[in-house]
Amino acid sequence: MKYLMIGSMIKGRYSMKTHLCILSSKNGRVRSAIVRHLLLAAMLSGMLMMLCCAASANDEPVLSPWAKEEAFAAEEAGILPDALHGDLRGAGNRGQAVWYLVKLTETVLQKELPNTAEGVFPDMENTFFEEKAEKAYSAGIVTGYADGSFGAGNHIRREEYAAMLYRLFQYLERETGKQLIPDDLQTRPYADEKEISAWALDAVHALSVMGILGGDSRGDFCPDKNISLEQMIVLSRRCWKYCTDKS
């Protein structure tokens, strides 16, 4: 039959009818092969669709119930450096912190922060967060470690992030000439007040009076607990709202 098909093609007489005759002459083997290939293609297509759906699902933001409303409000306000996606309940790091803090500051001031500290952190050279860390350092919002490094991948404790936000407000005051931090920092003490480091007390008290920070259901501030990404996002939204309400 192979010779018949070749001969028919040479003579220009090959047609669909000839092709069907050839297929039927092979006891259905060719048709079975075609069916198998079609089934395989359908299976591969289905698997690809499932993978795409799974990838799309993974891009959906995962937030704790308490954080959803404020997190989506922050995204809508345009004060986040990136769209909400993935699981945001885990601990954030110093690189992500300066990314959020610089974006928040630039949004409030409606201008780009100057970078007067290029190359200040050797461990940040040619990294994604390099410029963000340098801008935050230039504004006095963050500092480095004693060895001169920044440590972008290191987690941040809640009291450390409170100190960063406090310095952010101090920078905003210098730039705008407006008082944002209240003079009276008297507030109801947290149940674990004694665990807050002395260098972070003013920051924690000020942000608590401003309605930006709060404790957990037991009244604890949990200063040594790592701050999560969703907490950073919610705090960005509260800081932005506080500033807009003051303007």
Side-chain angles (χ1 to χ4, degrees):
M1 285 299 167
K2 179 169 66 175
Y3 298 117
L4 173 60
M5 183 173 67
I6 294 173
S8 299
M9 290 177 66
I10 293 174
K11 294 178 181 180
R13 295 196 301 269
Y14 181 71
S15 64
M16 183 58 71
K17 183 177 179 180
T18 306
H19 184 59
L20 291 174
C21 289
I22 294 169
L23 291 179
S24 61
S25 66
K26 292 188 174 180
N27 298 322
R29 285 179 297 173
V30 175
R31 282 178 292 179
S32 297
I34 291 174
V35 171
R36 286 197 301 272
H37 282 83
L38 289 174
L39 288 173
L40 179 60
M43 290 173 61
L44 291 174
S45 178
M47 290 173 64
L48 181 60
M49 186 175 295
M50 290 175 63
L51 289 173
C52 290
C53 290
S56 177
N58 290 336
D59 284 341
E60 290 295 316
V62 180
L63 295 155
S64 299
W66 65 266
K68 287 184 178 181
E69 182 178 351
E70 290 185 279
F72 286 118
E75 183 178 45
E76 185 177 352
I79 60 176
L80 303 180
D82 194 16
L84 296 175
H85 65 278
D87 194 338
L88 300 168
R89 297 169 299 178
N93 58 45
R94 285 170 60 84
Q96 293 164 324
V98 292
W99 199 24
Y100 284 113
L101 295 172
V102 168
K103 176 64 176 178
L104 171 62
T105 309
E106 291 182 338
T107 304
V108 172
L109 294 176
Q110 297 185 347
K111 66 178 183 180
E112 185 176 352
L113 290 183
N115 182 1
T116 60
E118 292 186 16
V120 67
F121 299 120
D123 63 320
M124 297 297 288
E125 186 177 359
N126 298 324
T127 63
F128 177 78
F129 297 117
E130 179 181 16
E131 185 181 24
K132 287 83 172 171
E134 291 170 351
K135 283 183 175 182
Y137 180 84
S138 300
I141 297 172
V142 300
T143 58
Y145 293 111
D147 62 359
S149 66
F150 180 72
N154 295 348
H155 292 157
I156 308 176
R157 291 178 292 124
R158 283 172 53 85
E159 65 176 10
E160 289 178 311
Y161 201 69
M164 291 180 182
L165 288 174
Y166 184 70
R167 292 193 291 264
L168 183 153
F169 275 104
Q170 290 177 321
Y171 178 77
L172 291 176
E173 287 186 331
R174 293 194 299 271
E175 288 294 303
T176 63
K178 298 178 181 178
Q179 182 177 3
L180 296 170
I181 301 172
D183 293 323
D184 185 5
L185 301 184
Q186 294 297 319
T187 181
R188 182 180 179 180
Y190 290 101
D192 58 351
E193 183 91 3
K194 293 182 179 179
E195 297 178 21
I196 303 174
S197 300
W199 52 264
L201 268 176
D202 281 350
V204 173
H205 287 170
L207 294 168
S208 298
V209 170
M210 295 159 71
I212 294 170
L213 280 181
D216 61 16
S217 58
R218 299 172 299 180
D220 290 332
F221 178 69
C222 305
D224 289 329
K225 189 175 181 179
N226 289 333
I227 193 163
S228 65
L229 282 171
E230 64 183 359
Q231 288 173 334
M232 288 184 188
I233 293 167
V234 167
L235 290 174
S236 285
R237 197 263 175 174
R238 291 177 184 175
C239 290
W240 172 80
K241 189 175 186 305
Y242 180 87
C243 291
T244 54
D245 288 347
K246 288 286 185 179
S247 62

